[in-house]
Amino acid sequence: MFKQISDRFERSYSLLRNLRLFHLSLLLLCIFAHSPNAQASGVHSSLPQSPSQQQNAEAQSEQDAATLELSKPVKREIGGGQRHNYGIALTAGQHIRVEIEPQGIDLGVSLQLPDGNIRPIYQPIGLKQEQLVIERVAEISGIYQFTIYTRAKAVTGRYEIRLAELRVATENDLALQQARNLFGEYRRLTHEGKFTEARPLVLRALEIREKVSGPDDLKVAEMLENLSASYVQTGDYASAEPLELRVLKIKEKAFGPEHPQMADALRNLGVFYYDKGDYLKAEELIQKALGIFEKSRQPENLIIASALSYLGNIYYARNDYGKAESYYRRSLAIREKNLGADHFHLTESLGSIGRVAYDAGDYAKAEAMYGRALALSEKAFGPDHTQLAWSLNNLAMIYATTGDYAKAEAFYRRALTIHEQKTGMYARNVQATLLGLARLYTAQGLASEAIKFQTQASELEERYVGLNLAVGSEREKLALLDDLSLLSSRRISLHTNLAPHDPAARELAVTTILGRKGRVQDSMSDSIAALRRRFSAEDQKLLDELNALTAKLAKLVLNVPQNATPAEHQEQVKTLETSREKLEAEINRRSAGFYAPSQPVTLTAVQRAIPEGAALIEFATYRPFDPKAPDNLKAYGEARYVAYVMRGQEEVGWTKLGEAKEIDANIVALRQALRDPKRRDVRQLARALDEKVMQPVRALLGSTTQLLISPDGGLNLIPFEALVDEQGRHLIQSYSFTYLTSGRDLLRMQAKRAATSDPVLAAEPVVIANPSFGEPVLTEQVARVNAARKPVARTSRRMRRSVTGARSLSEVYFAPLTGTAQEAHAIQTLYPEADLFTGAEATESALRRINAPRILHVATHGFFLEDAGTSADARVQATARGAGAIAKNENPLLRSGLALAGANQRGSAAGDDGILTALEASGLNLWGTKLAVLSACDTGVGEVRNGEGVYGLRRAFVLAGAESLVMSLWPVSDYSTRVLMT
């Protein structure tokens, strides 16, 4: 998938994605031939021949075939467009090995079987070739004819061809021939778009290759590349990625890091990461590949053309259209130079240039480019091949944009027919056509048709999301859903703007919201929980490694080494983050087979899970979509809030709430007032926010008083209980509130959890309170600053009264919290069996060691450090038990946490710095903990990410397994907290 896919609709779905799928389709049409001796051979992927090209090749012959004889090499000169034929008479069961040594020329090779069928083996792509090797077992007796040819514009060069082996086939030879046949049938089926049907064939071919040739053979790499492409064609990037990485390792082992074939592998991997939306990694790999080509003095070849094309895609995604088109033009020039001006392989470049023209509003130029691309594909493949679909979508998009709806519909329908007949409706690129039709009908106000195709696209997307959330790191999962976020906006807009009274449109919008919110959190939590349930020694070691690496990362981020430059520090952090991400991905991979990925959420299932007499309120942010907007960048309006109200099996109620910008401003104003005991305008601000958010919802609630709130955006950070209604009453006086990440949580709550896998270890409640924070150890630099300002004694007293607004946690001071000791003892009277840790025993290590207590109560300082880029208005001075320091790390889970014993002496204790960040807290074992109470200031705040909730301690304790949480949204006094918690 692509970054910014959804915010450009057809410009991305019908263009960016299809360019990638077009590239993969070309790969799937290729056949490779490698030498079993990796040291002496090159690995060259061929360009696919279209049916018409194969027919032309069969008809062409320079002269009658010369006969190849064993151990008698033939040396010849060949020029542009020439073809040399060589025949070998074989009987069934004979094995041959033919070796070709190109000398300064790029060769293509095909094989005509005795039955007349032609098998392309190598095709000239512009790389400097080494030894070309063809091995085969004759399955029928007759003449096997090899044709050697060059590109039409190739310069004259020489080559040597020899029949190196002619013998009776061994058992291994026969097995490898079976693999070739399976792969040939796989190519035929993928050529027809039957990706799922073809996949078992390449899997079987891979199995044979690995058994006969070993896991590091280059033919094994070929099978892996094609298997990966097959998965990508059906949207399963999660299964494809490990295959791509394995290919890279095989080729690096075979060729070394600076070989042109390694450059091709790097380019392939870069394309894969581009497709996943990781543009930085993609650009790094593609530039590295181009660097290798430059060092090895490779001529301008088709692999370089592909690399340039994808660099253009990256700059296009960054809205740098001028630079993007320059890369596209360079790519097109190389392709024309190598292939001529009428080769179908030019369609990718033509489509890319057309895309830039479309965005510039030059529809005539875009139409000309797309029309030429379609004509080349039709000439090469015929009128109903899968390769035509992306050009058809592009032309349809132009006609839809310019208002020629009839013509647009005809092109979309033609593409849809091709998909239905050739690829089936589960191929990933079908979605572009479905979305295009949905937009077309939306623009015409044809609600039922728009809903129909939008629903089909949504079902396909859900299948794709389910596959890819099963594995990978959290960052990769967030990138996946970020790519699709605005498609969710389109479904909500379809309901709220076009079909407000249509039940199908309403259900599609609600189901989208239920299926998206908190999805990454669920995935991460499920995978960790699955591994804990297994808990083999190897699994425990993996989790221990993750926790140790997380602790090391947290300490490095929050306590910058004095002897490291900023650049060195950032590099150290990046290294640890990369290692941690790999461990996360491994945990997800290992757990994938031990928990059932969540099934698609249905509105009916969620409604059945709503308690009797309660109402679920799903808030969502969305950007209204204008299907008629000629500029796709501006097709999405400013963000707005909407609320859907669900009760049992009743009809879903809904209401628009207004622009997110205005509501968020009210949220910020109320939160600032709530944090300041001196403010006298809290009720006024609470009433103003209620008027925008809850007053419209109350009209849908009837007599319901039990509310299940699933907030979104800034609504995650407000206490709905504190809002004030029209009668001047706080909502807590009229309603009870429960907060959910998503209404989908109601389905998860139905699954019973054992407190622990070992009944003996079923932990009693644990209370951690009143840690001995200690006095800070002043660094020489801080001591000099303090000495210059005022006497040290006065500085220490000032620091004990409050927390400084420092930019680094290393400068923050945690004041004693004697009230929490009373709080802890009061709770212990209610639970005499509780384990109590206070003072010097209330350590980070003690908290890490707990094993799923029924109740966990932590009374200490909590903190959330605003990102260095946050505006001054958003920074609130810390008071009481909170810290408002500023951190320079982008990860919000490293900018929030809890202070424990020794927190003011960070780094003085080996492995225990007194600070438990939210990232570290996510590694606690709370699977089975019924209630976690974080009795500290600001424990419920963090960085809000639309659709995923609050990134901070709230998210961390959910990932750790806690079923219910009690947290705070602002600083409160020791006394008030003690009374409340007791």
Side-chain angles (χ1 to χ4, degrees):
M1 63 244 155
F2 300 91
K3 201 71 173 171
Q4 302 176 358
I5 271 182
S6 47
D7 66 342
R8 305 184 183 187
F9 183 58
E10 281 99 354
R11 183 178 71 162
S12 53
Y13 266 85
S14 189
L15 296 170
L16 287 176
R17 174 165 287 146
N18 280 306
L19 286 175
R20 165 61 169 158
L21 294 172
F22 173 78
H23 169 80
L24 288 169
S25 297
L26 296 183
L27 172 62
L28 287 166
L29 292 172
C30 295
I31 186 168
F32 301 78
H34 310 316
S35 165
N37 181 356
Q39 299 299 325
S41 69
V43 182
H44 300 280
S45 60
S46 69
L47 288 173
Q49 283 186 317
S50 68
S52 61
Q53 287 173 317
Q54 290 187 17
Q55 292 169 6
N56 291 338
E58 186 174 355
Q60 292 180 22
S61 177
E62 180 186 271
Q63 57 186 18
D64 293 337
T67 301
L68 283 181
E69 298 181 33
L70 186 64
S71 301
K72 292 185 178 180
V74 176
K75 297 181 180 181
R76 295 185 68 179
E77 185 176 84
I78 189 169
Q82 290 184 330
R83 310 178 73 85
H84 295 169
N85 299 322
Y86 299 90
I88 306 174
L90 299 175
T91 57
Q94 282 189 304
H95 169 272
I96 59 167
R97 175 186 171 97
V98 175
E99 297 175 350
I100 304 168
E101 300 278 358
Q103 297 171 8
I105 193 165
D106 189 23
L107 299 177
V109 182
S110 65
L111 170 64
Q112 181 173 312
L113 303 178
D115 59 8
N117 286 320
I118 295 177
R119 298 286 186 265
I121 300 177
Y122 291 93
Q123 288 193 24
I125 57 176
L127 276 176
K128 291 180 179 177
Q129 294 174 322
E130 300 173 17
Q131 186 184 59
L132 310 182
V133 176
I134 305 101
E135 293 190 87
R136 189 171 188 89
V137 173
E139 295 176 286
I140 57 175
S141 299
I143 301 297
Y144 288 73
Q145 179 173 294
F146 291 92
T147 299
I148 296 178
Y149 62 95
T150 66
R151 287 174 287 116
K153 296 184 179 182
V155 297
T156 299
R158 299 186 63 80
Y159 68 91
E160 178 180 292
I161 182 171
R162 58 183 171 274
L163 178 59
E165 287 184 7
L166 178 61
R167 55 177 171 75
V168 176
T170 65
E171 184 177 340
N172 282 346
D173 294 332
L174 294 171
L176 292 177
Q177 186 58 44
Q178 181 187 1
R180 293 185 196 100
N181 292 340
L182 288 167
F183 185 57
E185 180 64 9
Y186 162 81
R187 287 183 61 248
R188 185 187 68 78
L189 291 173
T190 53
H191 186 76
E192 297 173 0
K194 299 176 181 178
F195 308 117
T196 304
E197 185 179 342
R199 189 174 300 150
L201 301 177
V202 74
L203 281 166
R204 177 59 182 147
L206 173 62
E207 180 184 0
I208 294 171
R209 285 283 177 187
E210 287 183 309
K211 182 178 180 181
V212 175
S213 306
D216 295 332
D217 185 75
L218 289 169
K219 289 292 287 184
V220 169
E222 171 197 329
M223 299 295 108
L224 292 169
E225 284 177 319
N226 281 269
L227 179 58
S228 170
S230 173
Y231 281 124
V232 171
Q233 283 281 17
T234 54
D236 190 354
Y237 294 92
S239 297
E241 184 170 17
L243 304 176
E244 298 276 357
L245 294 173
R246 187 178 165 195
V247 168
L248 190 69
K249 288 183 179 179
I250 291 174
K251 291 191 175 181
E252 185 170 19
K253 181 177 180 181
F255 299 113
E258 298 296 324
H259 194 280
Q261 296 299 338
M262 189 62 188
D264 186 26
L266 289 168
R267 181 210 43 121
N268 277 334
L269 189 60
V271 168
F272 180 82
Y273 282 117
Y274 168 83
D275 196 35
K276 290 190 69 179
D278 195 340
Y279 292 155
L280 289 177
K281 190 179 287 186
E283 184 177 14
E284 178 184 347
L285 289 165
I286 292 173
Q287 291 285 18
K288 186 176 180 181
L290 289 173
I292 293 174
F293 280 131
E294 186 176 350
K295 286 181 183 178
S296 60
R297 300 183 182 278
Q298 287 288 320
E300 289 189 327
N301 56 64
L302 296 177
I303 296 176
I304 292 176
S306 173
L308 292 172
S309 181
Y310 274 94
L311 284 177
N313 290 346
I314 291 170
Y315 281 100
Y316 174 86
R318 294 171 180 165
N319 300 326
D320 189 344
Y321 302 141
K323 199 162 188 177
E325 184 169 4
S326 69
Y327 278 116
Y328 294 147
R329 291 285 182 185
R330 286 176 60 189
S331 176
L332 178 61
I334 293 173
R335 285 169 170 158
E336 287 182 326
K337 178 181 177 181
N338 281 268
L339 300 170
D342 59 351
H343 196 284
F344 78 95
H345 203 60
L346 273 59
T347 54
E348 180 182 355
S349 295
L350 294 170
S352 299
I353 296 169
R355 174 178 61 184
V356 174
Y358 174 85
D359 287 319
D362 190 345
Y363 301 128
K365 178 180 176 181
E367 182 181 8
M369 289 293 173
Y370 292 149
R372 183 182 169 195
L374 178 62
L376 290 178
S377 295
E378 286 178 322
K379 179 180 178 182
F381 297 106
D384 60 352
H385 193 272
T386 56
Q387 289 295 332
L388 275 62
W390 77 293
S391 294
L392 293 169
N393 283 339
N394 293 338
L395 285 165
M397 177 185 64
I398 290 177
Y399 298 131
T401 301
T402 55
D404 192 343
Y405 296 139
K407 204 167 187 178
E409 181 176 13
F411 276 94
Y412 276 133
R413 288 287 184 177
R414 182 180 169 192
L416 187 64
T417 299
I418 289 174
H419 288 308
E420 289 173 339
Q421 294 179 351
K422 300 293 184 179
T423 67
M425 295 304 288
Y426 286 106
R428 191 72 179 105
N429 52 352
V430 178
Q431 191 174 19
T433 304
L434 296 174
L435 289 170
L437 282 165
R439 181 184 188 182
L440 177 66
Y441 291 124
T442 302
Q444 297 176 80
L446 302 174
S448 60
E449 288 295 298
I451 294 166
K452 170 187 171 183
F453 288 108
Q454 191 71 257
T455 301
Q456 289 181 17
S458 178
E459 291 170 351
L460 183 62
E461 180 187 302
E462 176 56 37
R463 178 178 179 274
Y464 162 71
V465 169
L467 284 170
N468 289 283
L469 283 184
V471 297
S473 69
E474 183 173 31
R475 182 187 66 80
E476 291 171 320
K477 294 178 181 185
L478 286 169
L480 165 65
L481 291 189
D482 185 53
D483 280 343
L484 304 173
S485 62
L486 287 186
L487 288 182
S488 298
S489 287
R490 291 194 53 211
R491 291 169 201 143
I492 298 172
S493 294
L494 180 61
H495 170 232
T496 59
N497 296 346
L498 176 64
H501 306 297
D502 191 300
R506 183 178 61 233
E507 181 170 348
L508 177 60
V510 175
T511 304
T512 295
I513 295 169
L514 290 170
R516 286 291 171 268
K517 288 168 68 175
R519 192 70 177 271
V520 173
Q521 176 176 285
D522 279 1
S523 175
M524 296 299 296
S525 179
D526 282 344
S527 61
I528 293 172
L531 209 60
R532 284 198 173 116
R533 286 196 296 270
R534 289 176 56 204
F535 256 156
S536 67
E538 190 174 351
D539 298 331
Q540 180 62 64
K541 181 181 178 183
L542 201 62
L543 288 177
D544 288 345
E545 287 179 8
L546 181 65
N547 289 338
L549 195 58
T550 299
K552 188 175 181 181
L553 174 62
K555 190 166 184 176
L556 180 63
V557 167
L558 297 177
N559 299 281
V560 180
Q562 295 296 315
N563 59 348
T565 66
E568 291 171 339
H569 179 245
Q570 286 301 110
E571 185 61 32
Q572 293 170 1
V573 169
K574 181 181 178 181
T575 299
L576 287 179
E577 286 177 336
T578 300
S579 299
R580 188 179 184 281
E581 188 176 317
K582 288 179 180 179
L583 270 177
E584 270 188 349
E586 175 63 13
I587 286 173
N588 277 274
R589 186 190 67 79
R590 288 180 58 80
S591 63
F594 292 88
Y595 78 93
S598 57
Q599 298 299 311
V601 176
T602 65
L603 174 59
T604 300
V606 172
Q607 286 181 307
R608 287 174 180 168
I610 298 173
E612 186 176 354
L616 167 64
I617 306 173
E618 279 285 357
F619 292 97
T621 57
Y622 73 104
R623 293 179 61 186
F625 178 72
D626 179 6
K628 295 183 179 180
D631 185 343
N632 284 307
L633 284 175
K634 298 178 181 177
Y636 295 92
E638 294 295 324
R640 302 180 67 87
Y641 280 102
V642 66
Y644 289 89
V645 178
M646 288 156 267
R647 291 183 294 176
Q649 298 303 309
E650 298 180 23
E651 184 176 289
V652 176
W654 70 281
T655 179
K656 294 181 181 180
L657 300 181
E659 290 190 5
K661 182 166 53 178
E662 293 181 9
I663 293 174
D664 288 346
N666 283 88
I667 292 171
V668 170
L670 176 60
R671 281 180 47 75
Q672 289 177 339
L674 286 168
R675 297 176 70 91
D676 187 352
K678 298 178 181 179
R679 294 280 291 267
R680 294 293 178 262
D681 57 349
V682 173
R683 293 181 66 86
Q684 177 185 344
L685 293 169
R687 176 71 199 108
L689 183 57
D690 175 86
E691 189 174 7
K692 285 185 169 62
V693 175
M694 282 302 291
Q695 185 172 322
V697 171
R698 277 196 296 276
L700 304 171
L701 293 176
S703 60
T704 302
T705 58
Q706 182 183 355
L707 305 184
L708 310 175
I709 303 290
S710 172
D712 199 9
L715 295 174
N716 279 284
L717 296 178
I718 65 164
F720 281 77
E721 298 90 336
L723 301 184
V724 176
D725 65 15
E726 302 93 324
Q727 286 74 44
R729 292 164 55 88
H730 288 290
L731 298 194
I732 189 64
Q733 296 175 265
S734 305
Y735 303 96
S736 65
F737 292 87
T738 298
Y739 295 95
L740 308 171
T741 300
S742 162
R744 194 176 62 256
D745 291 350
L746 297 173
L747 303 178
R748 293 168 59 83
M749 290 175 182
Q750 295 176 331
K752 296 186 180 298
R753 300 189 191 185
T756 178
S757 57
D758 187 348
V760 178
L761 297 177
E764 303 297 348
V766 171
V767 179
I768 297 177
N770 191 28
S772 297
F773 301 120
E775 289 300 315
V777 178
L778 299 181
T779 65
E780 183 180 343
Q781 180 181 3
V782 173
R784 282 201 307 270
V785 172
N786 289 339
R789 289 177 176 173
K790 57 185 68 180
V792 174
R794 289 182 62 189
T795 300
S796 298
R797 284 197 298 272
R798 177 179 62 81
M799 292 179 71
R800 279 196 292 269
R801 289 196 303 269
S802 64
V803 177
T804 64
R807 286 190 169 274
S808 170
L809 187 64
S810 62
E811 299 174 24
V812 171
Y813 179 81
F814 296 105
L817 294 171
T818 55
T820 63
Q822 299 170 6
E823 179 181 330
H825 287 294
I827 293 172
Q828 194 176 39
T829 62
L830 302 174
Y831 296 94
E833 73 278 16
D835 293 328
L836 180 62
F837 297 88
T838 61
E841 295 181 347
T843 63
E844 181 186 359
S845 298
L847 185 53
R848 286 176 180 277
R849 286 196 300 269
I850 63 170
N851 185 26
R854 286 188 295 117
I855 297 174
L856 173 63
H857 187 98
V858 182
T860 182
H861 279 295
F863 64 88
F864 178 72
L865 311 178
E866 297 291 345
D867 186 27
T870 304
S871 65
D873 292 340
R875 300 176 189 145
V876 181
Q877 177 66 29
T879 57
R881 297 157 71 186
I886 308 299
K888 292 185 179 180
N889 190 268
E890 294 180 358
N891 190 340
L893 297 185
L894 285 171
R895 292 186 274 113
S896 56
L898 299 170
L900 296 158
N904 287 330
Q905 299 172 325
R906 290 178 290 281
S908 58
D912 194 339
D913 59 4
I915 298 294
L916 184 78
T917 65
L919 193 64
E920 294 171 286
S922 66
L924 298 175
N925 182 10
L926 303 182
W927 186 256
T929 295
K930 302 301 179 184
L931 175 65
V933 180
L934 302 186
S935 179
C937 298
D938 294 323
T939 51
V941 301
E943 183 176 297
V944 175
R945 293 186 178 176
N946 288 348
E948 280 296 317
V950 179
Y951 268 64
L953 286 168
R954 187 187 305 191
R955 183 181 185 83
F957 275 75
V958 170
L959 290 177
E963 294 184 33
S964 299
L965 299 172
V966 175
M967 316 182 90
S968 65
L969 291 172
W970 58 75
V972 290
S973 70
D974 280 357
Y975 174 78
S976 299
T977 303
R978 175 165 55 88
V979 174
L980 174 65
M981 290 303 173
T982 304

